[in-house]
Amino acid sequence: MKISVLGCGRWGSFIAWYLSRLGNEVVSWGPEGDPSYEILKNTGRNEYVALDEKITLTCDLERAVRSAEVIVISISAQGLRGFMQRITRYPVSDKVFVLCMKGIETGTGKRLSEILTESGIASDKIAVWVGPGHIQSFVQGVPNCMVIDSENEKLKIDLVDRFKSDLIRFYYGNDLLGTEIGAAAKNVMGIAAGILDVICVPLKGPLMSRGAREVARLIKAMGGNELSAYGLAHLGDYETTLFSRYSHNRMYGEMLAKGERFEKLAEGVATSEAMKLLGEKYGVDLPITRAVYAVCYGEGDDVVRCKEEIGKLFKRSTKAEMYE
C-alpha cells in the first residue's frame, strides 16, 4: 500500500517507521525549514527512530499527496483546518485520510474529522487512529493496544487488518464521536495529573474516576455512546498520559504547578478551551476541565492558581457519584 505520513514530529516519524516495517511504501513529509524535518533530512534519524532507507523523505507536499492511496496526518490539531486548505489544492477525492492526532478545534468545538468533512473530504474516506502508547516504548518492542474508528465500517476493518502487528493490537472503534472526544479529553486530564504530582499525588485515583465520568457525560450529550469514555481512546490511555514521564501533557501540568514553563506541544491546553466551549454549548458540568482551563489561561501566580483550583473542586456541592 502507498502511504504518505504528513508530519514528521515524534508521532509522525514513528508512524512512518512502523508502517514501513509492515511492508508499505511510505513517504514521510515535513515542511522545509522545520527542525523536525531538517534533522531527519540531515541525519536520517531523530531522538525516537531511525528512518529505514525504504522511506522516502520529502518536503514536497504535492508529491506526498498525489503519490498516496492513504494519507496519514500527524500535526498539531489546531493547525489542521489551515493545513487541509493546502492539501485540497490537489486531487484527493480517491484518497483515504487517517487522523493520528488528538484534539478539538478551539473557537468552534469541532472534532478533527468534522474539519476534514468541512474541507470537502467525504466522511466515508476518514478514519482516526488513537489510543495508548509512547514511541519510546514502541521502539523498544513494548506492545500496546490502540483503536481505529470510522463511520465507514469496511474502511476501519480494512485499516485495522492492514496495520495490526505483534507491536500494536488494534480494536475496531464503534463510536467515532466518542472516540475523538475521548482521545482529545484525556490530554486535559493529563495536565491535571501533572499538577497533582506536585501538589497532592494520592488524588490520581479520583481524577481517573471523575475525569472519565465527566467526559462520558459530554459524549452522551453530544449524541455519542458514553461508554466510549471507558474505552482505549480515553480511560485506556490514562496510564500513558497521567503517569508516564514521556507524557507532554502531564509534564506541562507538573511544570506549571512548579511555576516553570514547558516548551513542547501539550495539546491538552487548547483542548481545555475547546471542551469548556462544548460544556457550555451542551449544558454539561465539566468541573475538572474548567479547573484545567483556569490554570492554563488564568492570570497571576501559576503555583497559587493550581492550588486554588484544586481547592475549588473540593468545595463543590455534594452530588451523587453517577449524576447526569
Side-chain angles (χ1 to χ4, degrees):
M1 176 178 281
K2 295 181 179 180
I3 302 175
S4 287
V5 181
L6 309 184
C8 58
R10 64 171 185 165
W11 191 237
S13 61
F14 164 74
I15 292 168
W17 174 87
Y18 174 77
L19 294 176
S20 177
R21 291 176 76 229
L22 298 183
N24 296 291
E25 186 177 327
V26 176
V27 172
S28 174
W29 173 89
E32 186 173 15
D34 179 79
S36 296
Y37 173 75
E38 294 298 327
I39 289 171
L40 287 172
K41 182 179 73 171
N42 294 328
T43 68
R45 61 185 304 125
N46 56 24
E47 60 182 304
Y48 308 107
V49 298
L51 293 186
D52 190 286
E53 293 181 355
K54 295 182 293 184
I55 298 173
T56 301
L57 183 66
T58 183
C59 61
D60 185 339
L61 184 59
E62 180 176 4
R63 176 187 180 187
V65 171
R66 287 184 180 275
S67 66
E69 300 169 79
V70 175
I71 296 175
V72 177
I73 303 180
S74 179
I75 64 170
S76 168
Q78 302 308 318
L80 181 60
R81 189 177 294 275
F83 191 52
M84 289 305 300
Q85 292 175 358
R86 297 175 61 190
I87 291 174
T88 52
R89 295 172 186 168
Y90 312 114
V92 294
S93 60
D94 62 336
K95 313 291 185 183
V96 168
F97 284 81
V98 181
L99 296 170
C100 292
M101 43 203 290
K102 303 166 183 178
I104 305 168
E105 188 176 47
T106 58
T108 67
K110 295 287 186 179
R111 293 178 286 116
L112 303 185
S113 66
E114 291 180 303
I115 294 174
L116 260 63
T117 57
E118 290 178 1
S119 301
I121 308 301
S123 60
D124 64 352
K125 294 285 189 178
I126 301 169
V128 300
W129 168 359
V130 295
H134 284 298
I135 294 107
Q136 295 90 333
S137 298
F138 279 133
V139 297
Q140 293 173 13
V142 179
N144 216 319
C145 302
M146 304 189 80
V147 59
I148 291 179
D149 212 340
S150 173
E151 292 181 358
N152 183 337
E153 192 76 15
K154 183 180 181 301
L155 174 61
K156 68 185 171 188
I157 292 173
D158 183 52
L159 290 173
V160 165
D161 290 346
R162 287 177 178 270
F163 291 175
K164 66 184 180 182
S165 72
D166 291 341
L167 191 60
I168 302 179
R169 173 179 170 80
F170 283 102
Y171 285 82
Y172 308 121
N174 57 8
D175 176 28
L176 182 61
L177 185 153
T179 296
E180 288 190 90
I181 294 296
K186 64 96 184 180
N187 287 331
V188 178
M189 302 306 156
I191 293 175
I195 294 170
L196 293 180
D197 278 340
V198 176
I199 297 175
C200 41
V201 177
L203 286 175
K204 274 193 176 177
L207 170 64
M208 291 188 287
S209 175
R210 300 314 305 157
R213 185 65 199 135
E214 177 172 312
V215 174
R217 289 196 300 270
L218 178 60
I219 290 172
K220 181 179 180 179
M222 293 178 67
N225 183 347
E226 65 181 311
L227 293 179
S228 296
Y230 308 107
L232 286 169
H234 187 72
L235 183 61
D237 207 351
Y238 271 14
E239 180 183 6
T240 53
T241 307
L242 275 61
F243 292 91
S244 174
R245 62 190 176 93
Y246 300 131
S247 169
H248 280 191
N249 292 283
R250 192 206 62 75
M251 183 57 71
Y252 179 94
E254 177 181 325
M255 294 184 70
L256 191 70
K258 292 177 178 178
E260 302 171 357
R261 280 286 174 266
F262 183 68
E263 301 299 334
K264 296 182 179 181
L265 176 66
E267 291 279 15
V269 177
T271 302
S272 70
E273 180 181 0
M275 283 183 62
K276 178 176 176 289
L277 173 67
L278 290 175
E280 293 167 351
K281 177 180 178 179
Y282 290 95
V284 179
D285 189 25
L286 303 174
I288 299 172
T289 297
R290 289 200 312 271
V292 171
Y293 171 80
V295 299
C296 289
Y297 290 96
E299 298 179 354
D301 185 277
D302 292 338
V303 176
V304 172
R305 196 164 62 252
C306 287
K307 292 179 179 178
E308 287 179 345
E309 290 302 323
I310 290 176
K312 289 178 183 178
L313 288 172
F314 271 81
K315 292 176 182 177
R316 296 173 66 244
S317 60
T318 305
K319 295 176 173 60
E321 184 179 14
M322 297 298 170
Y323 77 96
E324 293 293 326

